Amino acid sequence: MAYINENYLKLPGNYLFAEVARRVAAYKDAHPDADVIRLGIGDVTLPLPAASIAAMHAAVDEMAKKETFRGYGPEQGYDFLIDAIIEKNYTSRGIAVSPDEVFVSDGSKSDCGNIQEIFSTDDVIAITDPVYPVYLDTNVMAGRTGALGADGRFEGVVYMPTTEENGFAPALPDQPVDMIYLCCPNNPTGTTLSRAELTKWVDYARKNDAVILFDAAYAAYITEPDVPRSIYEIEGARDVAIEFRSFSKTAGFTGTRCGYTVIPKTVTAKAKDGSRHPLNALWSRRHSTKFNGTAYIVQRGAAAIYTDEGQKQVAGNIAYYMENARIIREGLSALGLSVFGGVNAPYIWLKTPNDLPSWEFFDKLLHEANVVGTPGAGFGPSGEGYFRLTAFGDRQATEKAIARIREKLVL
Ligand code: MLT
């Protein structure tokens, strides 16, 4: 007799973006002629940088010849990519990272979701609220939480409201926690933590023997100088933090899949007998057991973004999306809506008009303006009454969406 992992039964309905897609598909079925503009899931619309395309073509040619063909690669990633990552993202900012502290993967969603496997199921997790749902859902699946309460919170999870009221800077937990998920720039609010705020978290983790799981997938979008691009810019973070990075939003790899995780060998946690163990070794064991490496062709494409040409092309794409962010932010502000984010991140977080519940606003926007966004409540209870729009759309579609909201939405 096979039994299921009943923790899955604790999860409500569909994964957030699957539910959004389901509702949009139902609307399209009923209104086949509707020109629906999708500013929901944060999926890029510009093609891969030309430097990546050229490198991937060359890699395909290598795969076509016996002398240059490659089979299994190193699970942790090829040196050419790891060295480029370290040089351009860390050494250049004065941060020391060694090659065996970087793990290349098929994207940071997988890593953010899988990292919890190397921690005890007795650990208490703390998440900012609202937040990228992967952190919470994967911990629910693993059995690290109780049931979902009527207040929309899972038992045993420490929620840290990250809202307009606290300037999107969550307060430190008032009870012991072991694993702290921070996302900066934050998805969905598009807001960031300053150097002083991040220092507070690193100090807290050091004092309380906690580990920070720092998702920096949107780091390339930071424009303001006081916002750290990496948690390792903060003194002491190398002892307490794991950092997740992605090529998806940085270089358009959402469909191509490539990301990486940095685990300094100095980050440790305890076994029940009190002995301390480096998390790097545990993750390395997991990675080599469950993963056979990111495709060589993809890693070549990723490494190409670090060439001078690649850097220019990536900067051009980011500037394009950030101009979309400006169009959305200013367009909605002009309508009298309260908007946040969009300065250091490609997400705009808005307060729904007349305090409409997020899913009601989702339906209203879809029906009246044929524009799709993501309901804030899907990111956590503190997201209720808020809504997220992505700046990753096509320029014309973004402008059209704002014009439609202005002309058709009954506020
Ligand atoms: C989002 O829309 O929040 C992201 O695209 C989801 C993801 O990166 O997996």
Side-chain angles (χ1 to χ4, degrees):
M1 171 90 65
Y3 292 94
I4 60 162
N5 174 355
E6 291 190 31
N7 291 312
Y8 278 69
L9 304 181
K10 295 177 192 166
L11 289 165
N14 290 325
Y15 178 59
L16 174 60
F17 295 105
E19 178 60 19
V20 167
R22 191 191 65 75
R23 291 192 187 209
V24 175
Y27 181 81
K28 279 288 284 178
D29 275 352
H31 307 86
D33 297 331
D35 168 27
V36 173
I37 300 176
R38 293 166 201 263
L39 302 181
I41 191 164
D43 196 3
V44 293
T45 49
L46 292 174
L48 291 172
S52 298
I53 292 294
M56 289 166 84
H57 276 299
V60 170
D61 288 342
E62 282 183 63
M63 294 302 240
K65 292 185 214 114
K66 195 161 194 312
E67 310 75 60
T68 48
F69 169 80
R70 307 214 183 201
Y72 292 128
E75 288 94 355
Q76 209 167 324
Y78 283 100
D79 287 346
F80 63 78
L81 177 55
I82 291 177
D83 292 347
I85 287 169
I86 292 176
E87 189 197 326
K88 300 289 183 182
N89 289 343
Y90 295 104
T91 315
S92 63
R93 304 193 74 81
I95 299 165
V97 169
S98 66
D100 53 0
E101 293 177 328
V102 179
F103 297 83
V104 175
S105 71
D106 64 348
S108 67
K109 179 179 185 177
S110 315
D111 291 351
C112 289
N114 291 327
I115 195 73
Q116 47 78 28
E117 281 186 26
I118 64 170
F119 291 88
S120 164
T121 46
D122 293 336
D123 281 351
V124 174
I125 66 158
I127 52 163
T128 53
D129 169 26
V131 83
Y132 184 40
V134 170
Y135 316 146
L136 177 63
D137 287 8
T138 53
N139 277 287
V140 174
M141 291 169 178
R144 209 168 276 109
T145 74
L148 179 62
D151 60 355
R153 291 176 163 80
F154 280 92
E155 240 174 76
V157 173
V158 175
Y159 289 78
M160 305 181 294
T162 305
T163 56
E164 191 181 347
E165 287 70 36
N166 59 23
F168 299 97
L172 294 170
D174 53 10
Q175 63 188 96
V177 301
D178 307 302
M179 299 157 58
I180 302 164
Y181 287 87
L182 294 178
C183 184
C184 181
N186 189 40
N187 178 9
T189 57
T191 54
T192 49
L193 294 171
S194 67
R195 201 166 294 277
E197 283 295 328
L198 262 186
T199 303
K200 188 180 89 178
W201 282 100
V202 169
D203 292 348
Y204 173 91
R206 291 175 66 86
K207 203 160 142 218
N208 294 278
D209 203 3
V211 174
I212 297 175
L213 303 162
F214 189 75
D215 186 353
Y218 299 92
Y221 288 83
I222 298 172
T223 57
E224 293 179 327
D226 187 42
V227 182
R229 272 57 173 175
S230 161
I231 193 158
Y232 304 122
E233 288 180 35
I234 308 297
E235 205 184 320
R238 269 190 61 90
D239 295 334
V240 290
I242 291 176
E243 179 162 290
F244 304 97
R245 293 276 193 122
S246 167
F247 289 90
S248 290
K249 315 301 161 95
T250 309
F253 276 58
T254 51
T256 311
R257 310 305 307 149
C258 194
Y260 61 94
T261 292
V262 178
I263 312 188
K265 279 175 276 176
T266 36
V267 184
T268 60
K270 271 202 258 209
K272 288 273 150 71
D273 66 4
S275 56
R276 296 203 74 90
H277 299 265
L279 296 179
N280 179 293
L282 267 59
W283 185 249
S284 173
R285 186 69 172 85
R286 184 209 177 273
H287 204 64
S288 51
T289 305
K290 295 196 172 185
F291 189 62
N292 254 342
T294 302
Y296 172 69
I297 298 163
V298 170
Q299 291 193 56
R300 279 289 178 204
I305 75 158
Y306 295 115
T307 59
D308 289 348
E309 238 191 350
Q311 291 283 278
K312 270 190 228 133
Q313 291 158 1
V314 162
N317 288 5
I318 289 174
Y320 175 94
Y321 293 132
M322 289 310 279
E323 174 60 9
N324 285 352
R326 187 195 64 74
I327 291 167
I328 299 173
R329 217 181 52 235
E330 292 181 3
L332 297 181
S333 298
L335 296 177
L337 293 170
S338 297
V339 296
F340 309 91
V343 174
N344 292 305
Y347 292 127
I348 286 86
W349 186 241
L350 62 117
K351 198 164 167 39
T352 61
N354 309 315
D355 292 328
L356 267 190
S358 312
W359 279 105
E360 271 183 44
F361 185 68
F362 172 89
D363 288 331
K364 181 177 168 66
L365 194 64
L366 180 59
H367 287 255
E368 291 176 13
N370 287 177
V371 173
V372 179
T374 310
F379 296 99
S382 297
E384 183 55 283
Y386 287 82
F387 201 76
R388 192 193 79 175
L389 291 174
T390 159
F392 285 121
D394 161 78
R395 172 67 45 74
Q396 259 190 323
T398 302
E399 284 170 340
K400 199 154 137 193
I402 296 303
R404 282 212 208 134
I405 292 174
R406 190 171 49 236
E407 285 151 24
K408 302 213 166 154
L409 199 70
V410 184
L411 291 174

